[in-house]
Structure formats: structure tokens, C-alpha cells
Amino acid sequence: MSKGKGQAVPRLLKSSRKIFIRDWQLMLLCLLPVAYFIIFHYVPMYGVQIAFKDFRAVDGIWGSPWVGFKHFKRFFASSQFVPLIKNTLGLSFMQLLIGFPIPVLLAIMLNQAKNMKFRKFVQSVVYCPHFISIVVLTSMLYIFLSPRNGIINSVLGVFGIDPIFFLGEAKYFKLTFVISGVWQNAGWSAIIYIAALAGISPDLYEAAAVDGANKWQRIWHIDIPGILPTMVMMFILEVGKVMNLGFQKAYLMQNAQNLASSEIISTYIYKVGLINAQYSYSAAINLFNNIVNIILLVSCNYLAKKVTKNSLW
């Protein structure tokens, strides 16, 4: 038995060597992205230890004194902890609830469109907002939602509704953030579902038509089951990003009037870490944030595997 195990290792090495020699072009092609992830994603993890230290630049990471969970305790005990978690989770789940189904529905509707010219035109229109930068998008929101001459308030005025300063009132911030995000990203997110629908065998549609199934029945019994594995995987990935909302957009939309709803963990980390130079404290908050994301990702993957038999791993 041990002899067999001893011979298996050389065989494995020999087989791996043959694969590398045969597919060296592919290996070379993979070298740059692998190097990117190692250099910019894994090597910086060395600095995570400052979350457990009182980091001082003059002492360096190794020379700074070890303080254990001091910064974590400070964050959990601070008056900002509950509002930050509430705003981050509230905004994330609202974005998940509204933003996740819309690309699926858009893909199904485009898949049902018979006129190819119309379909391509709609696809181009809904894809375009994805390429607008966050800075430009935020500027557009300030213009469109202006209480003085914004187009939205002008329309509301026609119905006798008083102007609303959407970006100046905390209660409207979450809805504005989510709706603008859906408008910008729904078309782009629908691409993967359109590709999944294209992979469904036409024979299924023909058999359903022969059996007398109408359009809604074909969608329910063919389209949705056909893209369900893709939907599950995308949902798991979205849940894994619940605590990592887009910093740029939230920070640019943020002002003194809507701070009660717009202050999320990523903007708070920026302020205490880079503006106030509390590096260890901000590193501890960010580490906590990532741990919560990992727990949510693993838990959602486990539940999806149990319920739907589809998962990332």
C-alpha cells in the first residue's frame, strides 16, 4: 500500500509536467491575473495585523505595540455601531430586494421579444447607463432631483405635489440610492441571465407549444427552472457583498441633511481611517466587516445547497 502511494507522487508530478509543457501558452496567459491577485489581494493581508495593534507609522507594523481586541471593543461600544449596522444592512437588503429580481425579469422579457431590432435597441438602451461613472451619475441625480428646477419635482408639481429635496432628507436617501443603482446596473446584470436563457434547448419550447402551454406557462416551467442555477449563484454572490456597499456613490450622495441614513460602514471607515488617521481603528472595523461578509456568504451557500442543490462550492 505504501509502495503504491510512493509511486503515485512521481506519476502526479510527471503528469503535471506534461500538462504544463502542453498548455504553456494558457499558463502564461493566466500568469498576469494570478500575479495581480497575489500582489494586490493577498500580500496586503499582511497589514491586517494593525487591527490588533496601536499602529504608529514611525514604529512600522512590527514595531507597533500589540493591543489585542481593543479597537474592536471600542467600535462595538461606540454610539456609531448600531446606526452604522442599521444603515448598512437596511440599504443592502433593500438593494437586494429591489435590485436582484429586476435583471431577471428584464432578461426574461427580452428573451420573449420576437422583433430582433426592437430587442437589440432595448438592450443597447438599458446597457448604456452602466458605463456612466459614479461621479457623473451623482451629478445627474443632483440635477434631476433638484427641488427648484429638477425634472422629477417638475413632474410632481403638475400633480400639485410640493417640491421634495430627495437628497436633503434622510428618509428618501435609501430609495434614491437603490433606484438609481437599479437604473444604472440592471441592464448590465441581465446579460448573464440572457446568456443562460440562450442555453436552454429550443426543443423544450417546441414540446411545450405542442402541449398547449401559453407564454406564461413556458416562462414558469422552462425559463425560470433553466436559469435557476445561475440565479442561485448570483444571489449567493450578492449576499456575500451585503456589508460592502459602494463607497463612492454613498459618499458623493452624502451631506449633512441625510447623514442619519447615508452614513454606512465604508464611508465611516474612510473618515476615521484616512481623514482622522486612526489606522488601527479603521482596520479593525473593516476586518469585522469582512468577517460578517464571509459568514453570510458561507451560510447562504450552505442553505442554497440544502434547498436548491445549487451552490458555489
Side-chain angles (χ1 to χ4, degrees):
M1 190 73 178
S2 59
K3 184 178 179 181
K5 287 184 178 179
Q7 293 176 349
V9 175
R11 284 200 301 267
L12 180 62
L13 292 174
K14 188 177 180 180
S15 176
S16 300
R17 185 180 177 184
K18 286 182 179 179
I19 293 172
F20 273 101
I21 293 173
R22 185 189 64 198
D23 300 325
W24 66 271
Q25 298 96 333
L26 292 176
M27 301 300 173
L28 186 62
L29 189 65
C30 293
L31 184 61
L32 284 177
V34 169
Y36 166 80
F37 278 100
I38 291 174
I39 295 171
F40 295 104
H41 289 267
Y42 286 97
V43 172
M45 290 176 68
Y46 153 81
V48 169
Q49 60 184 298
I50 70 173
F52 304 94
K53 295 187 172 189
D54 269 334
F55 175 73
R56 293 192 294 265
V58 292
D59 297 328
I61 294 178
W62 283 108
S64 299
W66 188 272
V67 295
F69 292 97
K70 170 187 171 182
H71 301 296
F72 294 92
K73 293 177 181 177
R74 175 188 168 190
F75 178 57
F76 297 150
S78 71
S79 60
Q80 293 288 336
F81 178 71
V82 173
L84 286 173
I85 297 296
K86 182 180 177 181
N87 288 341
T88 304
L89 290 178
L91 199 54
S92 293
F93 285 122
M94 189 177 190
Q95 188 169 260
L96 195 62
L97 182 65
I98 298 175
F100 181 77
I102 289 180
V104 178
L105 296 174
L106 179 61
I108 291 174
M109 287 190 291
L110 287 172
N111 188 61
Q112 292 295 322
K114 301 303 180 184
N115 189 319
M116 294 305 296
K117 289 184 178 180
F118 173 77
R119 178 175 173 176
K120 290 180 180 179
F121 172 75
V122 173
Q123 284 179 320
S124 299
V125 170
V126 296
Y127 291 168
C128 285
H130 175 76
F131 300 99
I132 300 174
S133 72
I134 297 298
V135 176
V136 174
L137 174 66
T138 308
S139 300
M140 291 170 62
L141 288 176
Y142 274 99
I143 294 171
F144 293 156
L145 301 178
S146 169
R148 183 172 301 174
N149 50 16
I151 186 172
I152 302 299
N153 277 299
S154 297
V155 173
L156 293 177
V158 173
F159 297 96
I161 301 174
D162 294 332
I164 301 172
F165 189 13
F166 289 95
L167 294 176
E169 296 187 37
K171 62 182 179 180
Y172 295 116
F173 176 83
K174 289 185 175 66
L175 188 61
T176 304
F177 185 96
V178 171
I179 296 299
S180 61
V182 170
W183 174 78
Q184 185 179 27
N185 297 312
W188 186 258
S189 300
I191 291 176
I192 191 169
Y193 300 113
I194 293 172
L197 287 166
I200 298 175
S201 174
D203 295 340
L204 295 174
Y205 293 105
E206 293 175 5
V210 170
D211 290 339
N214 58 35
K215 183 179 293 187
W216 297 109
Q217 289 172 329
R218 292 197 295 270
I219 290 173
W220 184 255
H221 295 287
I222 299 176
D223 288 348
I224 294 178
I227 63 174
L228 184 61
T230 305
M231 290 171 60
V232 170
M233 287 189 288
M234 295 302 295
F235 183 78
I236 294 170
L237 291 173
E238 290 298 321
V239 170
K241 298 186 294 184
V242 159
M243 299 293 284
N244 286 339
L245 283 170
F247 157 76
Q248 282 184 320
K249 186 177 174 183
Y251 188 71
L252 290 170
M253 291 176 64
Q254 193 176 90
N255 54 55
Q257 287 80 18
N258 63 29
L259 196 62
S261 290
S262 62
E263 187 75 293
I264 57 177
I265 289 180
S266 58
T267 59
Y268 184 70
I269 290 172
Y270 170 76
K271 291 174 183 177
V272 300
L274 294 181
I275 297 179
N276 297 332
Q278 300 180 46
Y279 303 116
S280 293
Y281 182 50
S282 62
I285 300 172
N286 198 38
L287 182 57
F288 161 76
N289 197 43
N290 288 326
I291 289 172
V292 173
N293 273 333
I294 292 171
I295 293 172
L296 289 173
L297 178 64
V298 173
S299 302
C300 186
N301 186 77
Y302 175 79
L303 291 174
K305 192 172 185 179
K306 286 289 185 182
V307 176
T308 67
K309 308 300 180 184
N310 296 300
S311 62
L312 290 176
W313 64 86

